[in-house]
Amino acid sequence: MYEEEQRPDHGPLAGFTVGVTAARRADELGTLLQRRGAAVMHAPALRIVQLADDSELLGATKELIRQVPDIVVATTAIGFRGWVEAADGWGLGDDLLSRLGGVRILARGPKVKGAVRAAGLTEEWSPSSESMAEVLDRLLEEGVDGRRIAIQLHGEPLPGFVEALREGGAEVVGVPVYRWMPPEDIAPVDRLLDAAVSRGVDALTFTSAPAAASLLSRAEERGMLPEVLEALSHDVLSACVGPVTALPLQSRGIDTIQPERFRLGPLVQLLCKELPGRARALPIAGHRVEIRGHAVLVDGDLKPVPPAGMSLLRALSRRPGWVVARAELLRALPGSGRDEHAVETAMARLRTALGTPKLIQTVVKRGYRLALDPAADTKYADA
């Protein structure tokens, strides 16, 4: 768990909790979110097998040195660099670069192009869109019948890519530059799943399709997949770095958001727009009250609220201005049992946290209600 970083303006994500499922670049993503005010739960859904320890990569490298391909498709910069470094560690680096120097290299994007050139090689072509679909289109237009094509795999599915090349008559060799494995410590993943079901997080971020698939697989193992899908369908936002990453979620009927540019920065910027836009804002007792995940903005001032208080506030906000009975509020409290005194205790703490007691009115012998401004009564009567 990252600590929430308080800033003078609180940041657009203040009051929201965001789950980070990434194994690689998790610290970078967490820092970007914190700088904008979010509280971050980090639960790497996968771990990466080190390249030098991967027997599959060693076998594929020896095979490509023995039988040189016609074309190499490089898909990620970190993967290509890692492949060359691993080959050096095995004493095969010079042989690999010598073979690759005589083949056509297609680089998926500018970062990959930079990694190829840093290795002393030159790419033949790179799409401006950074799209594997555009790479596939180019190969198929040229014709691949009888060609031996090596594709640097990067842990994510390439839907239809390999199949389309093989249907076109190509021999395709996969180069598994790193492999995803389940995390050694599954406890953070379980805590994140529990938080999603209890609505303790407002969004989950995904930077790889295997991470999304792994999280859902763990939910299924624990027998809580329906509850997790329900949370992701209605309350917890799924933010994916790109369309390939989103596939495991979308296959389960989960809507996702994705930035136009498939980078961490644009992903965070999109969350800064989407999460505040989903927050409930109400005119209450002459104040503007915006209800976020674990805090409330009262006239722009951030007021952290305990979990029990947030549960009460959400129950009241579903029918703003209307009286909500103590029994109903008791049901909204997590693990409160049958004693309605728990409602009074949580309500007192909620009022203290808000710092403006008149926001919530006590209706004797009936319950509580939000003191919705009279002018807003009609607008919210059927909310």
Side-chain angles (χ1 to χ4, degrees):
M1 172 80 76
Y2 294 85
E3 296 297 328
E4 183 173 1
E5 179 179 327
Q6 295 293 338
R7 301 178 64 83
D9 60 356
H10 306 305
L13 295 179
F16 295 111
T17 301
V18 180
V20 171
T21 63
R24 186 168 61 87
R25 299 180 70 189
D27 288 343
E28 180 183 349
L29 178 54
T31 298
L32 288 172
L33 291 165
Q34 287 175 327
R35 285 176 177 169
R36 288 153 181 82
V40 178
M41 288 187 70
H42 181 213
L46 298 165
R47 61 185 170 93
I48 301 172
V49 174
Q50 293 298 316
L51 296 171
D53 298 333
D54 197 328
S55 59
E56 289 187 32
L57 177 60
L58 174 58
T61 302
K62 288 181 176 179
E63 173 65 16
L64 290 176
I65 291 173
R66 186 185 65 82
Q67 188 176 355
V68 182
D70 300 297
I71 300 170
V72 170
V73 179
T75 58
T76 66
I78 187 173
F80 193 84
R81 286 195 300 268
W83 182 20
V84 173
E85 290 169 3
D88 279 337
W90 296 321
L92 301 174
D94 290 342
D95 287 342
L96 176 63
L97 292 178
S98 174
R99 300 298 191 276
L100 295 183
V103 306
R104 299 171 57 202
I105 299 177
L106 305 186
R108 183 179 61 87
K111 288 187 177 180
V112 192
K113 185 193 305 184
V116 168
R117 293 184 179 181
L121 303 169
T122 303
E123 81 290 345
E124 177 185 276
W125 176 79
S126 179
S128 58
S129 66
E130 302 184 45
S131 166
M132 288 297 289
E134 191 172 344
V135 175
L136 179 61
D137 288 344
R138 182 181 178 93
L139 288 170
L140 294 178
E141 286 172 7
E142 293 176 352
V144 296
D145 189 24
R147 300 288 182 90
R148 180 173 165 83
I149 302 175
I151 301 175
Q152 173 213 319
L153 306 176
H154 54 98
E156 298 191 12
L158 299 173
F161 193 94
V162 173
E163 293 82 355
L165 292 177
R166 285 177 174 155
E167 287 175 5
E171 177 190 357
V172 181
V173 180
V175 182
V177 292
Y178 47 80
R179 290 188 295 128
W180 300 111
M181 299 288 285
E184 291 180 341
D185 182 6
I186 201 67
V189 174
D190 287 346
R191 286 194 291 270
L192 185 60
L193 288 170
D194 292 339
V197 169
S198 67
R199 278 54 170 184
V201 290
D202 302 288
L204 296 180
T205 59
F206 299 94
T207 57
S208 74
S214 178
L215 190 77
L216 296 178
S217 176
R218 179 57 182 170
E220 193 163 21
E221 287 175 10
R222 295 182 63 197
M224 60 188 303
L225 183 60
E227 292 89 346
V228 170
L229 295 178
E230 171 71 16
L232 297 181
S233 295
H234 296 98
D235 302 306
V236 180
L237 184 63
S238 295
C240 299
V241 78
V244 173
T245 297
L247 287 174
L249 296 162
Q250 292 175 342
S251 69
R252 298 279 190 168
I254 303 300
D255 290 331
T256 65
I257 61 169
Q258 305 156 30
E260 292 184 4
R261 294 179 61 246
F262 309 150
R263 297 285 186 271
L264 296 187
L267 177 65
V268 173
Q269 291 171 7
L270 184 58
L271 282 171
C272 289
K273 175 184 176 182
E274 292 288 334
L275 281 179
R278 292 159 63 101
R280 189 85 187 268
L282 297 168
I284 302 173
H287 301 274
R288 184 182 187 277
V289 177
E290 183 177 317
I291 303 169
R292 296 192 167 191
H294 62 263
V296 178
L297 290 180
V298 180
D299 297 329
D301 291 334
L302 186 67
K303 308 287 186 179
V305 175
M310 289 303 304
S311 296
L312 293 181
L313 192 56
R314 289 193 188 95
L316 292 170
S317 70
R318 292 189 191 103
R319 287 180 287 162
W322 291 67
V323 177
V324 181
R326 283 181 175 81
E328 183 174 342
L329 292 173
L330 181 63
R331 289 193 293 272
L333 286 177
S336 58
R338 299 181 179 180
D339 186 0
E340 291 189 2
H341 180 68
V343 175
E344 297 173 10
T345 301
M347 188 63 70
R349 291 174 179 167
L350 171 59
R351 283 170 163 159
T352 299
L354 294 175
T356 310
K358 293 183 179 180
L359 295 177
I360 301 173
Q361 296 174 336
T362 301
V363 181
V364 179
K365 295 183 179 181
R366 293 181 60 196
Y368 300 89
R369 70 179 178 186
L370 293 180
L372 193 69
D373 289 342
D377 280 348
T378 302
K379 178 179 178 181
Y380 293 97
D382 298 321

